[in-house]
Amino acid sequence: MIDAHTNVRKLLHVDLDAFFAAVEELDHPELAGKPIAVANDHRRGILTTCNYPARAFGLHSAMPVFQAKARCPGLILMPPRFERYKAMSESVFKILRTYSRRIEPVSIDEAYLDVTSHPEDAVLIAESLRSEVLDLTGLSISVGISYNKFFAKLASDWQKPHGIFQITPDDVPDLLAPLPVRKIHGLGRTGAQALERFGITTIGDLYAVERPVLERLLGKQGDAIYRYIRGRDDRPVEVSHERKSIGMERTFSEDLTTRAALAALIPGFSKRLSDALKKRHLVARTFHLKLKTSAFKLITRSHSLPDATSDAERIEALESLMLDAVEIEAPIRLFGVSASNLSDEDVRQLRFF
Ligand code: TTP
Ligand code: MG
């Protein structure tokens, strides 16, 4: 089993199914099940994508519109609405972010997630993700699971649409051997053709090619592909905007005037802060208390712990101590708590082992 206590990573690659076409189907339920392609109906237009019923006719992304119409006479063409796709993509990524802070969006419809620190089995995480995305947005995703990015990406394509597939170290090389070289991400059509010219059509064929030969055939990329197909890919999930702090605050319709009224807020706020940290599999070392007086004077206190925590009782004790140290001289209109110095839950666990 792949879990947080080995050095094996748990990575997911999420890819939306027939994305632009799926959004059009969602917004036009009367079209469901019919062959749909998203493209401008120009003489020289090309398909951005098409749904799976259209793919049954051999249609695919980048196919010229005239050719698509010829192959699939009942084809419904929808003009692209990029703003709408962008908004839907953001809704999906927002859900993904609740599963892992370690997320790398790679295009409008795909992202890598590092869920190594989740104690649950990766397949269960993927299933939960897939049903949550469907329930909340109406869109279908496929999820690939593996111990590196290259295999996770390969796996998300394995059982499309709405598929979940895992590639484990034991699957290498037998599972991959029959795959056509066209499936290798990053090779592109020219790379695949270069290989096919030499009779190298499957990954199995590729295993028989020595590294210097592959480098001669594919240039610089040859070395990476030589390693990747053997499961040697330690590229990290690149997190662009790691969250620096997390917190919550409330502005009151009527100012609070007593210390007791403020103290009464601490258990609830501490619990919410603890829940927010736990949901994101985070722990924090520094906690903050923020008050604003009716005259808009800001009062802040913070305290750092020797070790990181997400425990509600510890947070509550700390926030109470900080409140005790504040002199309440004026009515308070805003109360807030927050946590910073965040780290992943697993980092904390490692320290204990
Ligand atoms: P893809 O994920 O490649 O395709 P897809 O989501 O439509 O289908 P699949 O189920 O196979 O994942 O691309 C995502 C979106 O990007 C796609 O819906 C439309 C857009 N796109 C283009 O505009 N032009 C292209 O050539 C490709 C490949 C995609
Ligand atoms: Mg897709």
Side-chain angles (χ1 to χ4, degrees):
M1 199 187 110
I2 298 173
D3 66 26
H5 306 298
T6 70
N7 286 328
V8 179
R9 293 183 294 164
K10 259 186 343 196
L11 308 188
L12 307 183
H13 179 261
V14 174
D15 192 304
L16 285 143
D17 300 323
F19 179 39
F20 293 2
V23 175
E24 294 304 333
E25 270 184 81
L26 193 66
D27 292 349
H28 305 93
E30 70 281 6
L31 301 182
K34 296 184 177 162
I36 301 174
V38 179
N40 284 312
D41 197 357
H42 290 158
R43 206 164 39 86
R44 286 172 36 189
I46 55 165
L47 307 191
T48 62
T49 191
C50 57
N51 64 357
Y52 281 79
R55 288 182 202 196
F57 290 86
L59 273 51
H60 56 77
S61 291
M63 180 182 269
V65 167
F66 75 87
Q67 195 179 340
K69 281 180 173 173
R71 283 207 192 178
C72 178
L75 183 66
I76 297 164
L77 277 183
M78 305 296 286
R81 295 180 297 144
F82 296 105
E83 293 291 309
R84 174 76 177 132
Y85 309 143
K86 184 78 191 126
M88 287 302 277
S89 161
E90 276 163 17
S91 306
V92 173
F93 287 171
K94 208 165 145 190
I95 297 167
L96 301 186
R97 269 178 229 287
T98 66
Y99 281 76
S100 176
R101 194 168 61 109
R102 309 206 62 78
I103 174 171
E104 177 185 345
V106 280
S107 79
I108 192 166
D109 93 324
E110 51 174 319
Y112 290 101
L113 271 81
D114 187 330
V115 294
T116 310
S117 64
H118 278 249
E120 301 90 29
D121 182 72
V123 175
L124 294 181
I125 300 171
E127 284 169 351
S128 163
L129 202 58
R130 182 177 61 176
S131 52
E132 195 171 327
V133 169
L134 186 62
D135 291 348
L136 297 181
T137 68
L139 293 172
S140 168
I141 60 170
S142 293
V143 186
I145 307 165
S146 199
Y147 56 101
N148 65 49
K149 279 174 138 180
F150 182 74
F151 287 162
K153 166 104 181 165
L154 214 51
S156 71
D157 196 42
W158 213 282
Q159 287 184 351
K160 253 184 180 293
H162 212 59
I164 291 175
F165 193 75
Q166 181 168 23
I167 298 176
T168 69
D170 291 342
D171 294 327
V172 184
D174 295 353
L175 180 77
L176 306 176
L179 272 194
V181 290
R182 282 180 286 103
K183 291 277 181 185
I184 297 175
H185 176 65
L187 197 55
R189 194 181 295 186
T190 35
Q193 283 169 349
L195 294 175
E196 283 161 2
R197 263 201 302 279
F198 289 90
I200 305 163
T201 58
T202 65
I203 293 190
D205 298 334
L206 210 48
Y207 281 131
V209 182
E210 286 172 25
R211 193 196 300 240
V213 179
L214 207 53
E215 281 173 352
R216 231 173 299 139
L217 285 175
L218 300 175
K220 246 186 173 171
Q221 209 186 15
D223 173 59
I225 287 175
Y226 182 88
R227 287 182 287 110
Y228 291 172
I229 59 173
R230 288 168 172 79
R232 293 181 219 142
D233 169 17
D234 56 7
R235 287 172 299 163
V237 172
E238 307 249 14
V239 183
S240 46
H241 300 293
E242 290 210 11
R243 203 165 178 152
K244 293 276 191 285
S245 77
I246 186 163
M248 47 268 317
E249 55 187 50
R250 197 168 123 199
T251 306
F252 306 106
S253 47
E254 282 182 38
D255 296 342
L256 299 185
T257 51
T258 67
R259 177 182 297 279
L262 291 167
L265 296 170
I266 287 181
F269 271 80
S270 302
K271 176 73 171 53
R272 279 174 58 206
L273 184 54
S274 160
D275 289 346
L277 288 166
K278 284 176 182 162
K279 187 176 166 194
R280 294 165 178 81
H281 297 272
L282 292 173
V283 286
R285 232 162 59 71
T286 307
F287 291 86
H288 309 263
L289 173 73
K290 175 174 165 185
L291 303 172
K292 205 179 263 178
T293 69
S294 53
F296 297 98
K297 183 184 163 204
L298 192 64
I299 305 167
T300 58
R301 292 287 180 275
S302 56
H303 189 89
S304 293
L305 294 168
D307 60 322
T309 188
S310 59
D311 182 73
E313 282 181 21
R314 283 189 77 188
I315 298 172
E316 182 180 331
L318 214 55
E319 295 290 350
S320 299
L321 274 178
M322 289 190 274
L323 180 65
D324 287 347
V326 175
E327 277 193 46
I328 314 289
E329 294 165 335
I332 300 295
R333 67 186 308 267
L334 178 147
F335 175 92
V337 298
S338 63
S340 64
N341 254 325
L342 304 175
S343 53
D344 287 330
E345 216 165 29
D346 59 325
V347 176
R348 178 195 59 163
Q349 284 168 1
L350 288 177
R351 255 187 241 144
F352 291 152
F353 285 111

